[in-house]
Amino acid sequence: MVNNTLSGTRWKLVKRHWQLYLLIALPILWLIIFCYVPMYGVQLAFKKYSISKGIFESPWIGFRYFEILFTTPSGLMVITNTLILSFYSLIAGFPLPIILAIALNETRNRLVRKSIQMITYAPYFISTVVLVGLMFQVLDPRLGIFNRIFELLGGKPINFMGDPNLFSSVYVWSGIWQGMGYSAVIYLAALAAVSPELQEAARIDGCTRFQRIWHVDLPGILPTIITLLVLNFGFVMSVGFEKVYLMQNPLNLQSSEIIATYVYKVGLINADFAFSTAIGLFNSVVNVILLLTANQIARRTSDSGLW
Amino acid sequence: MKTDVLFQGFLQAFMWFWAIVILYPLIYVFSASFSSPHAVVSGQVWLWPVEPTFKAYEAIFNNPQIMIGFRNSLIYTALGTVISVVLTLLLAFPLSRPRFVGRGFFTWMLVFTMLFSGGLIPTYMVIKGLGMLNTWWAIVLPSALSAWNVFIARTYFKSLPEELYEASTIDGISDLGHFFRIVLPLSTPIVAVIALFSAVGLWNSYFNALIYLSNDTLFPLQIVLRNILILGNIDISMVQNFDAMVRKQGLSDLLKYAVIVVASVPVLLFYPLIQRYFVRGMMIGSIKG
Amino acid sequence: MKKIAIFALLVGGLSVLAGAQTPKPEWLSKGQYPLTKEKVTFNVLMQSVPNVTDFSTNQFTQWLETKTNVRLNFIMAPYDAGAQKEKLNLLIAAGDLPEILIGMNIDASTEARFGSEEKIFLPLNKYINDPKVMPNLNAWLAKNPTARGTITGVDGNIYGFPEINECYHCSLQQKMWINQDWLKKLGLKMPTTTEEFYKVLKAFKEKDPNGNGKADEIPLMGATDSWNTQAEPFLVSSFILDSGMYNKMKLLVDTKSGKVSSILDQTAYKEAMKYLARLYKEELYYNNSITQKNDQAKQLMAMDPAIIGVFPSGYPGIMIDSVAQNALWRAFTILPPLKGPNGYSSTPLSPAGLTPNRVVFTKALKNPELAARWVDSFYSYDFTSRKYWGAEGTDWRWAKPGETGLDGKPAVYKVLSKGNDVQNIHWGEGGINFNPAAYRFGLETTPGIDLGSPDGLEAMLLQVTAKIEPQVRKDVVILPTVKFTVPESEELQLLQVELERYSEQQRVAFETGAQDVEKGWAAYVKKLNDLGLQKFLAIQQKAYDRQYKAKK
């Protein structure tokens, strides 16, 4: 009886808001065609792929590819290195675009604001190859501007690219350098939408800038911050391959070998699609766990999350 | 008040520090693309171009494909952006409505695609099955929706005051009407951001083109530029044509930088256009009132 | 066996130097043209070539069609190998199999997988062995008997037609270049042993050869990422033959016993590590060489006054611009391989010259015999000249009596047009390449060309390469291309990734002194074995025996 009423109300809601289903139909159709239909490819993670037999007819081999990752002598190392790079990027890189956006938002001079916005946004378009090339140049112990300044200040030149302990910092901060302005765009848009009335009210109340930012701006963009933070946890294992690979050398290998580069080095052989599918699946599962956890924490603490 | 000055100073210092740290390499890339190969290689280029030359740009713009590439990229970006924005908003709005039955299910459906993917082969088969190989659609459709953008838009819609919706209901405005007449006009910043993200993604993408297109006349700019970049490569074991090799020497260093300039200027110019919409379309108060 | 494919190639190349040649070209196409009465079309998956605008309208393509009556329907594949492989895999998976693949970089494991495992590639033995179908390739293989081992797959079938590009200087690509102006200035002789070399480097560092009063000289510098720009292999080769920076497992074959070994766990390698550590510690070897890229090396090279004494690379143009830095370019000359403390010296002879699987037929091909005859046409000087240079008479012509080639012998052809960077006249380096040594040396060249000029590059490389050739060892050679079955290569690759990473890490640890060689050696060898070095070698041995022992 209770159930009946409940489903009854639900049904009523569905009927009342039928137009919402009309709106969502097209994007859902897209999701089905371009994401769900191809999903059968995931079974490759458990198969020995034969290209002439096709995905469905290829023989099963169980968890063999996962075993490889876990039993290889460096398996633990590559997973740890991946996690270090990822969390370091997240912790160091996540707050900076927010600060930049707030700083830009507080800049009254339009020309300055727009120019700096544009400058900080531009490096996003530099290709990875050139970015790494610039890094080697700027950080070179003998030629690089970094070490020259350092020497002027009386320090000894540091071989940034050859020190395994510095590898993650170089990777992360160059990433921040490249992506900060681009990531700030979304916060700028969110700040633009913070209610002008609240701003006005705060000003009339005699709030300092800091108080205004703290009590009006930040809460205004908090939902965006939380959404992006939670989403980021869904990509923790997905550290890109190209930049790390280009930065690798024998001196830093102990911290620069990550899952993606390991798969690249192994996967170029026959297993090809199957091995990389399996590793991709492993990454996805870890990402799911992290995302769910992050979402749960977000809901507990701020009452907003992805769902 | 003192802490406020301090705080203000911190923000300004932070901003200027990054602006300068970022600006220098940008100028370097720009200057290097206009300098002689030898000057770049020997580290003489510091800030301004040395022994200015247009060699790299000549190599790029003499390529018969470059204009076709530009045109194609513009089409893909424009068309793809429209499709992306429409699909994103259509999905994001219902997901932002608290009374939308099935919200959890559809949200999960979306998150799942962000985390799992079927891989290259099955996706290729789908594109092939739809007859999209070697057409515009293979470029603009498969990447149309990103869960990331949908969540950004949904968060924004959620942040709009619920009273707006109640007002609509009282006025007898339907869900569709509410979306188009009330929500969209208030959402210019987020529409602008999603348009920007989609456009940048489409403009920069080349992998789909590499895989789904085999007809030169359909290649986007990024593919053409990649091909030009390879022009500077020398396989010494194959070299019998020494004139060609001497001409190529050093060119690859310049091309590297010039290609960045050519590829990114259009998207950079797009940004100020978008920026104008980073203001809320109307005062919410005016509607409420 | 005992004789390795590479020897044959080299001997083949050198015989040209020795014997006089008639101006009449040796290799001309022998087919009956047109090859077919009815026009036949092939679907060809072809690697893009950056400087060719459009293959389907290309002038050479048109000439080819008129001459052979074979039309080509091109499906273009990306230029870079990774994306190419994706494209090929997708085409096969989607059932859009092309008939012929050209220039698709089919490596040994792809060959094993699509050839013997999945039967997508056609075995070609019957066409190659039939002199009526493939007269030129057949004759060439008869002259180069060991080449057969290189192109044969794990099941004894041949799945691809090879590319023949006998680049003599690339066969001895591990080269070290020394600033002879500095040697002269300091009154030093060209070093011949590792100890003499050490003294020269020390003098370079301490005696201010560039004369600016500052100790800014870098005696020896290398880079990580360009063609043979790592210094270690050259130095190690004075202790035990090092196969070069691209072969990280450093595999060798004993020519008498046919035993495969790696130098990584051998005592001579340990001695080499001590020598490297000494150079590193005294900063005779620029410490940043282990991490820097060639871009930085070029900048250091371009300092004024010059600060670099010695550097490695396949050819000096990698670090010096022969036009803009011509004086510096002339200052550097080859440093022949050095003798180690035991009088050992060596230089690796690379298996350059023959690349398997340049052209592959798939099971979709309807007329393989015609296709084989068509492919054979490319193994000729007339086709190759048209393909690489363009039309006869306007872009190139046959040599006239009295004209001489690079090696001073009668020339084969003369180039008439310098060509453009982007063109639609010929296929350039695309398609099927046939450049035997005799053809490459047959390029008409002004006698007595200035070896220090940019145009004199090939002649200069020829000369310096001849200088290091006597150092090639007869008792041991680097392991030639070996092919593996699918299960073998799976096992191998997993071992290799671990072994390579560990040995590289440990090498730099020894070199930089982070780990003392004497103290760390035993643990290092033990760890190599724990990671499966012996198993790795056993698989290599088995595959090597299968491929080369039987063929002799």
Side-chain angles (χ1 to χ4, degrees):
Chain A
M1 197 55 201
V2 178
N3 259 337
N4 258 341
T5 349
L6 226 136
S7 61
T9 8
R10 280 171 73 96
W11 185 236
K12 254 189 211 153
L13 275 177
V14 171
K15 263 167 78 183
R16 187 185 316 153
H17 296 291
W18 62 273
Q19 289 180 334
L20 292 179
Y21 298 90
L22 193 71
L23 287 176
I24 212 173
L26 207 56
I28 291 295
L29 187 69
W30 184 95
L31 281 181
I32 291 170
I33 293 175
F34 290 99
C35 296
Y36 283 93
V37 171
M39 210 58 94
Y40 68 88
V42 172
Q43 60 180 291
L44 268 186
F46 308 97
K47 283 191 156 177
K48 184 178 176 348
Y49 181 46
S50 156
I51 201 158
S52 52
K53 286 190 190 128
I55 291 175
F56 285 105
E57 302 297 316
S58 294
W60 294 97
I61 55 161
F63 286 86
R64 165 109 178 87
Y65 300 123
F66 300 92
E67 263 173 55
I68 289 175
L69 181 65
F70 291 118
T71 54
T72 198
S74 59
L76 191 65
M77 179 186 91
V78 298
I79 294 173
T80 320
N81 285 342
T82 310
L83 289 173
I84 289 174
L85 284 190
S86 214
F87 279 106
Y88 189 171
S89 298
L90 197 57
I91 292 165
F94 192 78
L96 293 181
I98 303 174
I99 301 176
L100 179 68
I102 288 174
L104 283 167
N105 198 47
E106 287 299 308
T107 305
R108 291 284 153 246
N109 185 326
R110 268 172 64 98
L111 186 69
V112 170
R113 188 175 70 222
K114 295 224 159 170
S115 312
I116 292 185
Q117 231 169 302
M118 186 87 155
I119 291 165
T120 51
Y121 158 89
Y124 184 77
F125 299 98
I126 293 182
S127 62
T128 311
V129 178
V130 173
L131 173 72
V132 176
L134 287 172
M135 285 157 62
F136 270 93
Q137 183 63 31
V138 172
L139 300 174
D140 189 271
R142 185 155 171 163
L143 302 160
I145 187 163
F146 228 84
N147 274 304
R148 283 206 196 161
I149 295 173
F150 208 60
E151 267 177 299
L152 279 180
L153 300 175
K156 268 195 88 177
I158 301 169
N159 187 357
F160 286 95
M161 303 312 268
D163 189 335
N165 298 318
L166 291 177
F167 174 80
S168 52
S169 293
V170 175
Y171 174 87
V172 168
W173 287 99
S174 59
I176 292 173
W177 178 87
Q178 185 173 30
M180 185 170 66
Y182 192 72
S183 310
V185 168
I186 173 71
Y187 299 112
L188 281 168
L191 280 169
V194 169
S195 158
E197 293 132 18
L198 280 176
Q199 299 258 18
E200 198 51 38
R203 206 166 292 145
I204 292 165
D205 286 355
C207 287
T208 64
R209 264 176 196 237
F210 179 76
Q211 285 170 325
R212 196 152 40 76
I213 290 169
W214 192 254
H215 294 294
V216 179
D217 286 348
L218 268 183
I221 61 172
L222 193 65
T224 309
I225 294 176
I226 289 173
T227 304
L228 290 178
L229 189 61
V230 173
L231 280 174
N232 264 307
F233 275 91
F235 290 90
V236 162
M237 296 294 278
S238 324
V239 180
F241 144 84
E242 197 185 6
K243 188 172 160 194
V244 177
Y245 188 71
L246 288 170
M247 286 173 66
Q248 272 185 358
N249 61 54
L251 279 176
N252 66 21
L253 267 178
Q254 66 189 83
S255 37
S256 65
E257 191 85 297
I258 59 166
I259 297 178
T261 57
Y262 176 77
V263 171
Y264 173 78
K265 287 173 187 174
V266 174
L268 278 181
I269 47 154
N270 315 288
D272 233 8
F273 285 112
F275 187 61
S276 49
T277 308
I279 303 305
L281 187 62
F282 168 71
N283 288 346
S284 297
V285 170
V286 177
N287 284 337
V288 168
I289 296 168
L290 290 170
L291 182 74
L292 286 176
T293 317
N295 191 54
Q296 206 56 34
I297 295 170
R299 279 175 58 167
R300 290 264 169 81
T301 51
S302 73
D303 204 34
S304 65
L306 290 189
W307 61 89
Chain B
M1 224 43 196
K2 214 174 210 168
T3 49
D4 205 39
V5 173
L6 223 67
F7 176 67
Q8 186 68 13
F10 163 75
L11 283 184
Q12 289 294 314
F14 177 86
M15 190 177 77
W16 283 101
F17 168 78
W18 282 104
I20 290 163
V21 166
I22 288 171
L23 187 62
Y24 172 67
L26 293 182
I27 294 178
Y28 177 83
V29 168
F30 187 76
S31 297
S33 74
F34 282 106
S35 302
S36 84
H38 178 64
V40 175
V41 162
S42 58
Q44 292 171 38
V45 178
W46 266 94
L47 198 60
W48 305 120
V50 178
E51 300 164 34
T53 164
F54 293 96
K55 250 170 105 177
Y57 290 94
E58 269 167 35
I60 292 176
F61 287 102
N62 278 343
N63 189 298
Q65 288 225 278
I66 195 88
M67 282 306 148
I68 304 175
F70 252 114
R71 194 203 62 195
N72 288 338
S73 279
L74 281 178
I75 294 173
Y76 300 149
T77 306
L79 185 64
T81 303
V82 171
I83 295 174
S84 294
V85 170
V86 169
L87 286 179
T88 305
L89 296 178
L90 288 184
L91 184 52
F93 176 68
L95 292 185
S96 73
R97 300 300 313 143
R99 296 270 185 81
F100 177 56
V101 176
R103 194 167 50 111
F105 172 76
F106 289 120
T107 307
W108 247 115
M109 202 173 159
L110 183 66
V111 173
F112 194 76
T113 63
M114 181 178 93
L115 296 163
F116 295 92
S117 115
L120 201 53
I121 299 174
T123 312
Y124 183 88
M125 302 295 254
V126 167
I127 305 286
K128 190 189 167 202
L130 293 169
M132 288 181 182
L133 286 184
N134 254 327
T135 68
W136 292 2
W137 303 111
I139 308 301
V140 296
L141 275 184
S143 55
L145 255 185
S146 119
W148 195 277
N149 288 348
V150 175
F151 281 113
I152 290 173
R154 193 197 65 166
T155 307
Y156 185 92
F157 292 148
K158 269 187 163 174
S159 73
L160 295 174
E162 193 57 27
E163 298 94 56
L164 285 178
Y165 184 74
E166 282 154 19
S168 291
T169 322
I170 293 164
D171 292 350
I173 298 174
S174 68
D175 285 333
L176 276 181
H178 178 67
F179 176 59
F180 287 110
R181 282 164 46 197
I182 313 288
V183 173
L184 279 187
L186 283 173
S187 304
T188 45
I190 209 64
V191 175
V193 166
I194 288 166
L196 179 72
F197 285 0
S198 309
V200 166
L202 285 156
W203 182 267
N204 279 349
S205 79
Y206 67 88
F207 189 74
N208 281 353
L210 215 53
I211 295 297
Y212 299 129
L213 303 180
S214 15
N215 190 341
D216 303 15
T217 55
L218 291 172
F219 283 168
L221 184 66
Q222 300 289 350
I223 300 261
V224 179
L225 290 178
R226 271 169 71 93
N227 289 342
I228 293 174
L229 211 50
I230 299 165
L231 265 181
N233 288 0
I234 301 170
D235 175 2
I236 177 77
S237 77
M238 284 302 302
V239 169
Q240 297 169 61
N241 189 344
F242 300 105
D243 282 296
M245 191 188 77
V246 171
R247 273 203 305 268
K248 278 176 181 177
Q249 255 173 1
L251 187 63
S252 65
D253 291 294
L254 284 194
L255 279 173
K256 231 169 36 183
Y257 299 115
V259 155
I260 291 181
V261 175
V262 171
S264 54
V265 162
V267 246
L268 287 179
L269 295 180
F270 186 53
Y271 189 43
L273 291 179
I274 289 288
Q275 262 180 342
R276 292 177 31 208
Y277 296 98
F278 283 10
V279 259
R280 183 162 275 194
M282 277 174 272
M283 299 280 271
I284 291 175
S286 63
I287 297 176
K288 266 197 285 190
Chain C
M1 65 132 249
K2 315 280 133 65
K3 220 172 158 198
I4 307 306
I6 322 136
F7 273 138
L9 289 180
L10 188 74
V11 172
L14 289 185
S15 62
V16 182
L17 289 171
Q21 245 222 342
T22 51
K24 173 94 183 128
E26 183 188 3
W27 299 93
L28 290 175
S29 51
K30 297 191 185 63
Q32 293 290 318
Y33 296 98
L35 295 171
T36 160
K37 282 204 193 83
E38 300 277 307
K39 182 156 283 190
V40 174
T41 302
F42 291 130
N43 287 323
V44 177
L45 179 63
M46 176 113 172
Q47 176 193 31
S48 310
V49 179
N51 66 346
V52 177
T53 31
D54 183 3
F55 272 91
S56 36
T57 58
N58 187 282
Q59 275 184 33
F60 174 69
T61 312
Q62 287 165 6
W63 177 86
L64 193 63
E65 184 174 334
T66 321
K67 172 98 176 169
T68 60
N69 217 12
V70 168
R71 212 181 76 80
L72 300 176
N73 181 22
F74 289 105
I75 305 158
M76 298 313 296
Y79 176 81
D80 63 300
Q84 231 174 56
K85 206 168 178 174
E86 304 267 34
K87 184 108 185 174
L88 177 63
N89 277 323
L90 289 171
L91 283 173
I92 297 179
D96 298 328
L97 202 58
E99 292 176 286
I100 302 175
L101 318 179
I102 301 181
M104 290 297 290
N105 292 305
I106 308 289
D107 53 25
S109 64
T110 311
E111 177 201 298
R113 183 165 162 227
F114 291 159
S116 50
E117 277 250 311
E118 308 226 12
K119 315 266 183 243
I120 290 170
F121 294 166
L122 292 184
L124 306 170
N125 309 40
K126 111 175 140 186
Y127 312 111
I128 291 176
N129 294 337
D130 187 346
K132 279 197 227 73
V133 179
M134 304 199 80
N136 277 331
L137 183 58
N138 191 276
W140 192 87
L141 285 174
K143 280 197 165 183
N144 300 277
T146 46
R148 215 167 250 276
T150 314
I151 62 172
T152 303
V154 278
D155 57 357
N157 284 327
I158 297 170
Y159 288 101
F161 302 110
E163 165 171 289
I164 293 157
N165 177 35
E166 291 170 340
C167 166
Y168 171 59
H169 73 86
C170 318
S171 66
L172 294 156
Q173 53 183 254
Q174 193 161 290
K175 295 190 173 82
M176 193 67 101
W177 307 88
I178 187 164
N179 191 327
Q180 52 186 343
D181 290 358
W182 283 13
L183 284 178
K184 253 182 242 140
K185 192 164 174 192
L186 300 179
L188 298 163
K189 278 196 324 219
M190 182 70 79
T192 58
T193 67
T194 44
E195 270 322 294
E196 283 172 24
F197 184 58
Y198 169 79
K199 284 184 187 125
V200 165
L201 294 180
K202 214 162 168 60
F204 280 179
K205 187 174 171 64
E206 290 162 0
K207 298 205 172 136
D208 192 27
N210 68 7
N212 66 349
K214 281 190 266 178
D216 56 352
E217 285 87 352
I218 293 175
L220 168 64
M221 171 190 72
T224 52
D225 65 331
S226 208
W227 196 40
N228 289 286
T229 52
Q230 290 183 5
E232 289 84 352
F234 176 89
L235 297 170
V236 171
S237 289
S238 300
F239 297 82
I240 187 163
L241 177 60
D242 187 313
S243 47
M245 65 182 268
Y246 302 102
N247 304 311
K248 292 185 181 151
M249 288 308 297
K250 315 281 182 204
L251 298 173
L252 302 178
V253 193
D254 187 298
T255 41
K256 276 211 199 67
S257 64
K259 185 172 180 294
V260 177
S261 63
S262 165
I263 70 169
L264 292 174
D265 62 345
Q266 296 186 22
T267 327
Y269 186 69
K270 176 179 162 192
E271 295 309 312
M273 288 299 113
K274 285 189 197 160
Y275 181 68
L276 286 174
R278 179 152 67 119
L279 297 187
Y280 187 94
K281 193 170 174 219
E282 299 187 26
E283 296 194 1
L284 301 176
Y285 179 36
Y286 180 49
N287 287 357
N288 199 27
S289 301
I290 303 174
T291 47
Q292 77 174 354
K293 304 227 170 193
N294 201 48
D295 286 347
Q296 281 74 49
K298 279 199 257 183
Q299 278 178 48
L300 292 169
M301 204 72 220
M303 295 272 187
D304 191 32
I307 56 166
I308 306 296
V310 185
F311 71 90
S313 74
Y315 91 112
I318 283 176
M319 293 201 193
I320 309 175
D321 185 328
S322 60
V323 182
Q325 299 165 280
N326 193 259
L328 192 67
W329 172 264
R330 286 169 192 267
F332 277 90
T333 188
I334 191 93
L335 171 68
L338 304 164
K339 281 193 175 60
N342 302 328
Y344 187 95
S345 77
S346 66
T347 195
L349 182 62
S350 307
L354 185 76
T355 315
N357 302 329
R358 182 70 183 179
V359 185
V360 168
F361 291 173
T362 72
K363 61 181 182 186
L365 182 59
K366 276 165 239 101
N367 197 338
E369 194 188 302
L370 172 64
R373 284 194 286 132
W374 179 82
V375 168
D376 191 66
S377 304
F378 283 87
Y379 294 100
S380 68
Y381 288 176
D382 43 339
F383 272 63
T384 216
S385 301
R386 286 176 187 277
K387 185 195 76 71
Y388 191 82
W389 299 101
E392 185 181 347
T394 49
D395 297 306
W396 64 280
R397 64 163 170 78
W398 297 112
K400 290 181 182 142
E403 289 177 331
T404 52
L406 268 170
D407 52 357
K409 305 281 179 278
V412 177
Y413 65 104
K414 180 178 168 69
V415 176
L416 301 175
S417 144
K418 296 196 163 184
N420 284 318
D421 286 341
V422 178
Q423 49 76 38
N424 212 15
I425 293 166
H426 52 72
W427 286 6
E429 285 147 22
I432 307 156
N433 290 302
F434 180 66
N435 309 317
Y439 180 78
R440 292 185 64 125
F441 289 144
L443 170 70
E444 193 272 339
T445 312
T446 325
I449 190 166
D450 175 7
L451 296 181
S453 71
D455 285 338
L457 173 65
E458 184 84 356
M460 183 272 281
L461 286 173
L462 174 66
Q463 201 198 55
V464 300
T465 307
K467 272 192 199 162
I468 63 175
E469 202 196 326
Q471 306 290 336
V472 174
R473 293 191 75 88
K474 304 264 183 311
D475 58 339
V476 66
V477 292
I478 65 177
L479 184 72
T481 316
V482 172
K483 294 177 178 177
F484 305 97
T485 63
V486 173
E488 276 170 358
S489 62
E490 270 171 14
E491 188 173 8
L492 210 56
Q493 192 69 12
L494 292 173
L495 293 172
Q496 188 164 343
V497 171
E498 299 295 335
L499 284 167
E500 280 186 357
R501 186 190 313 112
Y502 178 68
S503 61
E504 283 264 286
Q505 275 180 303
Q506 207 54 36
R507 188 200 82 215
V508 295
F510 287 147
E511 208 174 322
T512 58
Q515 166 76 62
D516 182 74
V517 182
E518 208 53 70
K519 281 183 202 140
W521 184 259
Y524 160 73
V525 172
K526 184 176 179 301
K527 182 79 192 278
L528 279 180
N529 287 326
D530 290 348
L531 289 174
L533 179 64
Q534 298 314 322
K535 201 162 159 201
F536 180 85
L537 290 174
I539 300 173
Q540 294 279 354
Q541 182 77 57
K542 191 172 139 205
Y544 174 80
D545 290 346
R546 177 174 59 219
Q547 196 170 347
Y548 291 95
K549 239 173 194 159
K551 302 293 174 297
K552 200 62 193 169

